[in-house]
Amino acid sequence: MAEKKWGGEPYFGLGYDWDPDWLLTDRQRELRELLIELCEKEMRANAKTSDDKLEFPRRNLELLGEHGFLGLTVPEEYGGLGQNHVAYAMTCETIARYGCASTAMCYVMHVGAVQAIMLRPTDELIERYIRPLNSGKIGTLSYSDPETGSHFWYPISSGAERSNGGFKVRKKASWTTSGGFADFYVVQTTSPDFSGYDDLSVFVIDGDQVQAKPSSWDALGLRGNQSGPIEVPEVDVPAENLIGPIGDGAASNDESVDPWFLVGSSSVWNGLAMGAIDIAKRQTTRKKHVDVGLRVADYPTIQDYVGEAVMDTNACRVFTYSVADALDRATDDNTRRLAPGEFARANFLHWAWQIKFEAAKNTAHVVDKMLHACGGTGYKRDMELERYLRDAKAGWVMGPTNEVLRQFVGKAVLLGFDALDYWNQTYNRRAVENEVKKLDPAGKRELADQLVAQAEEEEAKAPARA
């Protein structure tokens, strides 16, 4: 097996013996070596600048574009590298581990936006947004909403209306990675003639149509992300910037946005955990206690910390790669074209929930333990561990948060997937009848009057909507 290098020298952290290389093709291992080289030469140093100065990591993203990674999962016929979900997981993990976690998360959102377009590609969308990727064109997803928090798939503060052969789109987002810096934004809004929370539509909005305040972003970690609020203030959007048919948003979310985001972000958290272990190995094998003639790495407690961290993190890595491989199998290595109403990745969505939960939980634990292993020196900024620690803390709270995901999985296991009511469509008769029992006769009459009035109002609107 080849030796892992860093600046021409043996890598200071864990070698390839501790990477699940049997899951990668020869081409994917070549791409990883190129990424490690880019991280060593420039991206890791840029990470410190982004963190210190709250700077968007544009140069790192330009580097990725120069070497084709912004089009990693785009077919070769459109100028991309034609790679699959496993290659994407490897890329996200590698950037976060050896280079810059902020860059890695911007990259995740970029690929998410690209793949939302590629789910329903048209000649116009490909020419305008896909072919120029290697020139450094950066996209991002904007799916959050200030009114719904971690339930980001309900875009209440948004909407679209038909206008002059196209659409007039409004969108407010509480968090948007690369906000104010992306060249294009893939946004989800309620549809024209909105009829319920599975009636959503997806649009591409050009960067000059988006209002953002990057200066308002000041976070604990991932400080280069610029994940501040944005607004699309009733802008005119041409018809060709609608991705898929009207009402395709729920399908796009389940088939493309969530699977790509969850695999990518899980890989970032795994990369951060491995990066923290690398730093801990470097520190504990070099630091000596002269009084007892031992290195820090010679203490059994430190060995226990690192051993458990490696095993837990590799369990998360192999789990993530396994789900990525399942998506590859379902999509013929990311080459299968799906018609509206046809699903492949969405069938594995509950597995994607699980890898994100486990990766985010693990990295929060591992970075803490690696700080313990490094002792007081690890607390100093020049060791980089403290940046990895702060960046890793974002995993748990990034939507869908780990609270949301474990509740989803537990509810689905115990009550079935239908009980999730993901798009808020199912009437919970048991809960409603239980609440009504608590009302006295006057309260029941008041509720009945309200319901009758609402029904009459909706019936009056129905012919105009039809």
Side-chain angles (χ1 to χ4, degrees):
M1 181 176 290
E3 185 178 29
K4 190 181 296 185
K5 296 289 187 177
W6 188 258
E9 300 294 329
Y11 182 56
F12 57 81
L14 279 66
Y16 287 128
D17 287 341
W18 299 100
D19 292 324
D21 276 11
W22 68 90
L23 299 172
L24 304 179
T25 65
D26 290 343
R27 175 57 174 155
Q28 288 163 359
R29 286 192 286 271
E30 290 174 0
L31 291 172
R32 183 183 59 187
E33 287 187 17
L34 173 58
L35 282 168
I36 293 174
E37 181 181 349
L38 294 175
C39 289
E40 184 272 324
K41 288 184 175 179
E42 190 167 354
M43 292 175 69
R44 194 175 184 116
N46 292 342
K48 184 178 188 318
T49 301
S50 287
D51 185 68
D52 289 345
K53 299 181 179 180
L54 285 169
E55 283 187 5
F56 183 68
R58 181 169 294 280
R59 176 55 188 157
N60 282 355
L61 292 161
E62 289 173 350
L63 272 173
L64 293 172
E66 290 168 10
H67 292 85
F69 287 100
L70 294 183
L72 176 76
T73 55
V74 171
E76 292 180 357
E77 64 190 279
Y78 302 139
L81 296 180
Q83 287 293 318
N84 60 14
H85 299 81
V86 168
Y88 167 64
M90 176 277 295
T91 300
C92 297
E93 178 188 290
T94 302
I95 297 169
R97 177 178 180 179
Y98 303 98
C100 172
S102 288
T103 302
M105 278 311 306
C106 292
Y107 183 76
V108 168
M109 298 303 185
H110 165 81
V111 172
V114 167
Q115 289 305 133
I117 293 173
M118 293 306 301
L119 180 67
R120 309 281 188 244
T122 64
D123 291 342
E124 293 86 354
L125 290 174
I126 287 171
E127 290 300 319
R128 188 165 183 181
Y129 299 105
I130 301 302
R131 290 193 185 277
L133 291 177
N134 290 338
S135 66
K137 200 176 187 73
I138 300 166
T140 195
L141 295 168
S142 185
Y143 272 57
S144 64
D145 189 288
E147 302 295 332
T148 57
S150 296
H151 303 146
F152 62 86
W153 53 94
Y154 294 140
I156 288 176
S157 304
S158 72
E161 301 173 4
R162 295 179 181 86
S163 175
N164 298 321
F167 301 92
K168 193 173 288 293
V169 175
R170 68 181 187 279
K171 171 75 180 181
K172 287 185 178 181
S174 48
W175 307 82
T176 297
T177 296
S178 305
F181 295 92
D183 298 296
F184 63 92
Y185 297 71
V186 172
V187 306
Q188 180 177 256
T189 76
T190 54
S191 296
D193 304 324
F194 175 62
S195 62
Y197 278 106
D198 61 345
D199 185 11
L200 306 171
S201 296
V202 183
F203 299 90
V204 190
I205 309 295
D206 290 324
D208 58 5
Q209 294 180 297
V210 173
Q211 295 179 358
K213 296 180 179 179
S215 61
S216 66
W217 174 250
D218 189 358
L220 174 71
L222 297 179
R223 288 167 60 80
N225 275 23
Q226 301 298 333
S227 296
I230 68 155
E231 182 173 359
V232 179
E234 297 276 1
V235 302
D236 291 317
V237 175
E240 56 265 29
N241 278 38
L242 173 70
I243 303 177
I246 290 175
D248 192 52
S252 173
N253 183 85
D254 289 354
E255 178 57 37
S256 182
V257 172
D258 270 9
W260 286 100
F261 169 72
L262 292 168
V263 167
S265 60
S266 299
S267 300
V268 171
W269 312 133
N270 292 336
L272 278 165
M274 290 303 297
I277 296 169
D278 290 335
I279 293 170
K281 180 184 177 184
R282 179 180 63 189
Q283 169 63 14
T284 60
T285 55
R286 296 177 181 179
K287 174 67 175 179
K288 295 181 180 179
H289 291 163
V290 178
D291 55 331
V292 292
L294 295 174
R295 300 171 304 168
V296 174
D298 294 324
Y299 291 94
T301 297
I302 304 304
Q303 296 164 5
D304 288 348
Y305 280 165
V306 172
E308 182 177 3
V310 169
M311 289 187 285
D312 286 348
T313 302
N314 272 332
C316 290
R317 296 171 79 193
V318 173
F319 190 11
T320 300
Y321 281 123
S322 176
V323 173
D325 179 66
L327 301 182
D328 285 333
R329 292 168 185 261
T331 61
D332 300 328
D333 276 329
N334 194 34
T335 63
R336 184 178 166 196
R337 287 286 180 86
L338 299 170
E342 188 179 8
F343 296 97
R345 300 175 189 86
N347 298 327
F348 298 91
L349 189 53
H350 62 294
W351 290 102
W353 294 339
Q354 293 175 66
I355 61 172
K356 189 272 179 178
F357 180 89
E358 290 299 330
K361 180 178 71 171
N362 176 70
T363 195
H365 177 73
V366 166
V367 294
D368 281 346
K369 287 301 179 183
M370 294 306 96
L371 176 62
H372 299 168
C374 292
T377 305
Y379 202 65
K380 296 170 63 178
R381 297 198 69 196
D382 58 5
M383 257 195 67
E384 300 182 295
L385 181 60
E386 62 85 31
R387 186 178 75 243
Y388 278 70
L389 186 149
R390 289 185 287 105
D391 290 344
K393 294 298 184 183
W396 187 280
V397 298
M398 187 174 288
T401 66
N402 274 27
E403 281 78 16
V404 168
L405 292 177
R406 67 183 173 192
Q407 203 270 337
F408 272 6
V409 172
K411 190 172 186 178
V413 167
L414 296 173
L415 305 178
F417 285 105
D418 290 344
L420 288 178
D421 193 19
Y422 193 74
W423 295 107
N424 203 31
Q425 300 294 301
T426 305
Y427 165 56
N428 190 332
R429 189 182 189 93
R430 179 194 60 79
V432 171
E433 290 180 348
N434 184 64
E435 293 302 310
V436 170
K437 287 178 184 178
K438 301 174 184 178
L439 297 174
D440 60 19
K444 291 177 180 177
R445 290 191 185 92
E446 181 182 356
L447 177 60
D449 290 341
Q450 290 176 357
L451 294 174
V452 168
Q454 290 176 11
E456 290 175 347
E457 181 180 353
E458 291 173 6
E459 288 171 354
K461 292 180 179 177
R465 189 188 303 146

